[in-house]
Amino acid sequence: MNSLFFPLIMLAAGLFFCFRNIRFLLNEHALREYMQNSPKAALWVKKYGLVGATKMARESFLPLGLVISVGMVAVSGWSLWRILA
């Protein structure tokens, strides 16, 4: 049971970030709202402006986050398969 904890948490986090990044890529309004209200994005918005920070997020950070989250889902799925098989 202890060995299932980390892969299940990683699977849940990977799925959450995957769906969130897809939503932000498809919905420009949701991404702009996040960029305006997020304390994490405040530095980028202050440095590059809202339009520049949103453009950088759409072109580089969201696709990179999507690849990482798919990798997390794949690794955790493989790990769960190895544990349960």
Side-chain angles (χ1 to χ4, degrees), residues 21-64:
N21 288 348
I22 289 172
R23 187 180 125 231
F24 284 155
L25 280 171
L26 296 177
N27 188 349
E28 175 107 18
H29 179 70
L31 177 60
R32 280 185 182 269
E33 187 175 313
Y34 173 79
M35 296 295 281
Q36 288 174 338
N37 298 326
S38 172
K40 294 182 229 175
L43 176 67
W44 293 98
V45 171
K46 183 178 176 184
K47 187 171 185 178
Y48 297 107
L50 182 61
V51 174
T54 304
K55 183 179 177 188
M56 281 187 358
R58 286 184 70 83
E59 291 177 356
S60 57
F61 295 125
L62 288 174
L64 179 62

Side-chain angles (χ1 to χ4, degrees), residues 2-28:
N2 241 356
S3 60
L4 291 176
F5 181 72
F6 183 68
L8 287 175
I9 294 296
M10 197 164 85
L11 178 67
L15 288 172
F16 170 75
F17 288 120
C18 184
F19 288 123
R20 189 186 84 162
N21 288 348
I22 289 172
R23 187 180 125 231
F24 284 155
L25 280 171
L26 296 177
N27 188 349
E28 175 107 18

